Amino acid sequence: MEKFDVIIIGAGAAGLFCAAQAGQRGKRVLLLDNGKKAGRKILMSGGGRCNFTNLHTEPAAYLSQNPHFCKSALARYTQWDFIDLVNRHGIAWHEKTLGQLFCDDSAQQIVDLLLKECEIGKVTLRLRSEVLSVSRDEAGYTLELNGSVAQAEKLVIASGGLSMPGLGATPFGYKIAGQFGLTVFPTRAGLVPFTLHKPLLEQLKTLSGVAVPSLMSAEDGTIFKEALLFTHRGLSGPAVLQLSSYWQPGEFVTINLSPERDLGDFINQERKAHPNQSLKNTLAKVLPRRLVECLQLLSSVPECTLKQLNSRQQGELVEALHRWRVQPNGTEGYRTAEVTLGGVDTSVLSSKTMEARDVPGLYFIGEVVDVTGWLGGYNFQWAWSSAWACAQAL
Ligand code: FAD
């Protein structure tokens, strides 16, 4: 039997960072992953450039049954700490939008950074490793692996959520939590595109590929002002991904397709200047033409000149564009979701160390925990912060 101080399951963002930190603090660490590569989601992230943190990271950007839980870890290992690490590794980066930081070159640089840090910490990394069973006695945790047995005083679960099974996601972490009597909140896909009911999808099909700035609101009042993208399956783009984390099946979302310009005022001004201009050409000055054509078909307002447009028709059109109410059919689910909402109940964990209060030596970090960030680097920052907090306690 091989003995270690700590075994960490999951060589994703949280597991790699925790292993490196614990190793550098002198712990003998075994890091296990079922995949053939470490950090597979990192490699896929940010369109291959990894949006590794967000300048505006703050607890309000995270969803959890206990919104206070993430505060301690985020305050102790901040976005500035990770940026400092990225700088020390000489990785060039840039801010894209809304505080989102990306590598200039490739997400591989973040994986290399983490592997280098693991190397400094003398971490034993074992890929293609299946954990067949986990048991606990006075000596700590014993893991039956494919072909060997390993034991450690402390066990860290960093196996992530259910999103993107194609990248190795499994319910392993939730099962271990259940095995040790810890509560796991129901999970659902987050940061995921909406699908639409067939008739609406059919009506919108000419819009596939069209992107517009938007202001989207959920029934609980949450609002995001970001781009909306029409797809052949439904609605996507940053605004939709963000809002999907706040949406429940059956609910409506309200979309303002012209958040920067009051279209009623715009039409009035245009009417004064060009009364014989067609409605279509007027709206196409400020909205994508394909969107205008499609929405005219959807509304009962016929094509006409501005002087022919009566106030009821104008009101109807403006309402449709500023307050378009859509009831999504569902989401694309874990197959394309960037994150998993829900997970291990934070009330059973210490927010300082991530250790299960009633199961000494058992820790949960990263996405497996019921803490989910917005789109834009917030989820990786939670992985780094929770991993760092845990590593200090190992
Ligand atoms: P993961 O990174 O998912 O790592 C879990 C690891 O555990 C995996 O390597 C998995 O193979 C392993 N594992 C699972 N089950 C087992 C098992 N039974 N045995 C052994 N190993 C197991 N967030 C951002 O902040 N910025 C982004 O740009 C961004 N882009 C994303 C793009 C995509 C396509 C996706 C899917 C997600 C993106 N995210 C992004 C979210 C981010 O990737 C996750 O929040 C983050 O990776 C969570 O880290 P983690 O270590 O908790 O889990």
Short mmCIF file of all heavy atoms in Angstrom, two decimals, residues 264-288:
data_model
loop_
_atom_site.label_atom_id
_atom_site.label_comp_id
_atom_site.label_asym_id
_atom_site.label_seq_id
_atom_site.Cartn_x
_atom_site.Cartn_y
_atom_site.Cartn_z
N GLY A 264 -39.12 53.92 -29.30
CA GLY A 264 -40.26 54.81 -29.48
C GLY A 264 -39.76 56.20 -29.86
O GLY A 264 -40.21 56.80 -30.85
N ASP A 265 -38.79 56.70 -29.08
CA ASP A 265 -38.21 58.03 -29.37
C ASP A 265 -37.57 58.04 -30.76
O ASP A 265 -37.71 58.99 -31.52
CB ASP A 265 -37.12 58.39 -28.34
CG ASP A 265 -37.72 58.67 -26.97
OD1 ASP A 265 -38.96 58.80 -26.90
OD2 ASP A 265 -36.95 58.73 -25.98
N PHE A 266 -36.86 56.95 -31.05
CA PHE A 266 -36.15 56.87 -32.33
C PHE A 266 -37.13 56.94 -33.51
O PHE A 266 -36.93 57.70 -34.47
CB PHE A 266 -35.32 55.58 -32.38
CG PHE A 266 -34.67 55.32 -33.70
CD1 PHE A 266 -33.63 56.12 -34.15
CD2 PHE A 266 -35.12 54.28 -34.52
CE1 PHE A 266 -33.04 55.90 -35.39
CE2 PHE A 266 -34.53 54.06 -35.76
CZ PHE A 266 -33.49 54.86 -36.19
N ILE A 267 -38.21 56.16 -33.41
CA ILE A 267 -39.20 56.16 -34.50
C ILE A 267 -39.82 57.57 -34.63
O ILE A 267 -40.00 58.08 -35.75
CB ILE A 267 -40.29 55.08 -34.27
CG1 ILE A 267 -39.67 53.69 -34.40
CG2 ILE A 267 -41.45 55.24 -35.27
CD1 ILE A 267 -40.59 52.53 -34.05
N ASN A 268 -40.12 58.21 -33.49
CA ASN A 268 -40.71 59.57 -33.54
C ASN A 268 -39.78 60.55 -34.25
O ASN A 268 -40.21 61.34 -35.09
CB ASN A 268 -41.02 60.07 -32.13
CG ASN A 268 -42.19 59.29 -31.53
OD1 ASN A 268 -42.97 58.67 -32.26
ND2 ASN A 268 -42.29 59.29 -30.20
N GLN A 269 -38.50 60.47 -33.91
CA GLN A 269 -37.52 61.38 -34.55
C GLN A 269 -37.43 61.10 -36.04
O GLN A 269 -37.43 62.01 -36.88
CB GLN A 269 -36.13 61.18 -33.96
CG GLN A 269 -35.94 61.81 -32.59
CD GLN A 269 -34.75 61.15 -31.86
OE1 GLN A 269 -33.94 60.46 -32.44
NE2 GLN A 269 -34.68 61.42 -30.55
N GLU A 270 -37.38 59.83 -36.39
CA GLU A 270 -37.27 59.45 -37.80
C GLU A 270 -38.51 59.87 -38.58
O GLU A 270 -38.43 60.26 -39.73
CB GLU A 270 -37.05 57.93 -37.92
CG GLU A 270 -35.69 57.47 -37.48
CD GLU A 270 -34.61 57.82 -38.49
OE1 GLU A 270 -34.71 57.45 -39.66
OE2 GLU A 270 -33.63 58.51 -38.08
N ARG A 271 -39.69 59.75 -37.92
CA ARG A 271 -40.94 60.11 -38.59
C ARG A 271 -40.91 61.59 -39.00
O ARG A 271 -41.34 61.96 -40.09
CB ARG A 271 -42.14 59.82 -37.70
CG ARG A 271 -43.48 60.06 -38.44
CD ARG A 271 -44.68 59.96 -37.52
NE ARG A 271 -45.01 58.60 -37.16
CZ ARG A 271 -44.84 58.08 -35.95
NH1 ARG A 271 -44.31 58.80 -34.97
NH2 ARG A 271 -45.19 56.85 -35.71
N LYS A 272 -40.38 62.41 -38.05
CA LYS A 272 -40.30 63.85 -38.34
C LYS A 272 -39.38 64.11 -39.54
O LYS A 272 -39.71 64.88 -40.45
CB LYS A 272 -39.75 64.60 -37.12
CG LYS A 272 -40.85 65.05 -36.18
CD LYS A 272 -40.28 65.95 -35.10
CE LYS A 272 -41.11 65.82 -33.84
NZ LYS A 272 -40.36 65.87 -32.62
N ALA A 273 -38.24 63.46 -39.54
CA ALA A 273 -37.24 63.72 -40.58
C ALA A 273 -37.57 63.03 -41.90
O ALA A 273 -37.31 63.57 -42.97
CB ALA A 273 -35.87 63.28 -40.08
N HIS A 274 -38.09 61.78 -41.83
CA HIS A 274 -38.34 61.00 -43.07
C HIS A 274 -39.70 60.31 -42.98
O HIS A 274 -39.77 59.09 -42.82
CB HIS A 274 -37.27 59.89 -43.23
CG HIS A 274 -35.87 60.32 -42.91
ND1 HIS A 274 -35.11 61.06 -43.78
CD2 HIS A 274 -35.10 60.10 -41.82
CE1 HIS A 274 -33.92 61.27 -43.23
NE2 HIS A 274 -33.89 60.71 -42.04
N PRO A 275 -40.78 61.05 -43.14
CA PRO A 275 -42.12 60.44 -42.98
C PRO A 275 -42.40 59.33 -43.99
O PRO A 275 -43.18 58.43 -43.71
CB PRO A 275 -43.07 61.63 -43.16
CG PRO A 275 -42.27 62.73 -43.78
CD PRO A 275 -40.85 62.51 -43.41
N ASN A 276 -41.75 59.39 -45.15
CA ASN A 276 -42.04 58.36 -46.17
C ASN A 276 -41.09 57.16 -46.11
O ASN A 276 -41.17 56.27 -46.95
CB ASN A 276 -41.98 58.99 -47.57
CG ASN A 276 -43.13 59.96 -47.75
OD1 ASN A 276 -44.26 59.65 -47.34
ND2 ASN A 276 -42.85 61.14 -48.29
N GLN A 277 -40.22 57.17 -45.13
CA GLN A 277 -39.28 56.04 -44.99
C GLN A 277 -40.06 54.82 -44.51
O GLN A 277 -40.97 54.92 -43.70
CB GLN A 277 -38.22 56.44 -43.97
CG GLN A 277 -37.14 55.42 -43.74
CD GLN A 277 -36.05 56.01 -42.86
OE1 GLN A 277 -35.00 56.41 -43.34
NE2 GLN A 277 -36.32 56.11 -41.58
N SER A 278 -39.66 53.65 -45.01
CA SER A 278 -40.38 52.43 -44.59
C SER A 278 -39.99 52.08 -43.15
O SER A 278 -38.88 52.38 -42.70
CB SER A 278 -40.06 51.28 -45.54
OG SER A 278 -38.77 50.78 -45.24
N LEU A 279 -40.92 51.43 -42.50
CA LEU A 279 -40.68 51.00 -41.12
C LEU A 279 -39.46 50.07 -41.07
O LEU A 279 -38.59 50.19 -40.20
CB LEU A 279 -41.93 50.27 -40.62
CG LEU A 279 -41.88 49.72 -39.21
CD1 LEU A 279 -41.62 50.82 -38.19
CD2 LEU A 279 -43.21 49.01 -38.89
N LYS A 280 -39.41 49.16 -42.04
CA LYS A 280 -38.30 48.19 -42.07
C LYS A 280 -36.96 48.90 -42.18
O LYS A 280 -36.02 48.63 -41.42
CB LYS A 280 -38.50 47.27 -43.28
CG LYS A 280 -37.62 46.04 -43.25
CD LYS A 280 -37.76 45.21 -44.50
CE LYS A 280 -39.09 44.50 -44.58
NZ LYS A 280 -39.28 43.75 -45.81
N ASN A 281 -36.86 49.83 -43.11
CA ASN A 281 -35.59 50.55 -43.30
C ASN A 281 -35.24 51.41 -42.10
O ASN A 281 -34.07 51.60 -41.77
CB ASN A 281 -35.63 51.40 -44.57
CG ASN A 281 -35.54 50.55 -45.81
OD1 ASN A 281 -35.16 49.38 -45.73
ND2 ASN A 281 -35.93 51.10 -46.96
N THR A 282 -36.24 51.90 -41.43
CA THR A 282 -36.00 52.72 -40.23
C THR A 282 -35.36 51.85 -39.14
O THR A 282 -34.31 52.19 -38.59
CB THR A 282 -37.34 53.30 -39.69
OG1 THR A 282 -37.98 53.96 -40.75
CG2 THR A 282 -37.10 54.23 -38.53
N LEU A 283 -36.03 50.74 -38.86
CA LEU A 283 -35.52 49.88 -37.77
C LEU A 283 -34.17 49.27 -38.12
O LEU A 283 -33.32 49.05 -37.25
CB LEU A 283 -36.54 48.79 -37.43
CG LEU A 283 -37.82 49.30 -36.75
CD1 LEU A 283 -38.84 48.18 -36.60
CD2 LEU A 283 -37.51 49.90 -35.38
N ALA A 284 -33.98 49.02 -39.42
CA ALA A 284 -32.71 48.41 -39.84
C ALA A 284 -31.53 49.36 -39.66
O ALA A 284 -30.37 48.97 -39.74
CB ALA A 284 -32.81 47.95 -41.29
N LYS A 285 -31.83 50.64 -39.37
CA LYS A 285 -30.71 51.56 -39.08
C LYS A 285 -30.09 51.25 -37.72
O LYS A 285 -28.94 51.59 -37.47
CB LYS A 285 -31.24 53.01 -39.04
CG LYS A 285 -31.55 53.60 -40.39
CD LYS A 285 -31.97 55.04 -40.23
CE LYS A 285 -32.17 55.71 -41.58
NZ LYS A 285 -32.71 57.07 -41.44
N VAL A 286 -30.87 50.64 -36.83
CA VAL A 286 -30.36 50.43 -35.46
C VAL A 286 -30.42 48.97 -35.00
O VAL A 286 -29.96 48.64 -33.92
CB VAL A 286 -31.13 51.32 -34.45
CG1 VAL A 286 -30.79 52.78 -34.66
CG2 VAL A 286 -32.63 51.11 -34.53
N LEU A 287 -31.01 48.11 -35.83
CA LEU A 287 -31.08 46.68 -35.47
C LEU A 287 -30.68 45.85 -36.69
O LEU A 287 -30.83 46.32 -37.83
CB LEU A 287 -32.52 46.30 -35.09
CG LEU A 287 -33.10 46.88 -33.80
CD1 LEU A 287 -34.60 46.65 -33.75
CD2 LEU A 287 -32.43 46.27 -32.58
N PRO A 288 -30.18 44.63 -36.48
CA PRO A 288 -29.84 43.81 -37.65
C PRO A 288 -31.07 43.62 -38.54
O PRO A 288 -32.17 43.36 -38.03
CB PRO A 288 -29.40 42.47 -37.04
CG PRO A 288 -29.06 42.78 -35.62
CD PRO A 288 -29.90 43.95 -35.21
#
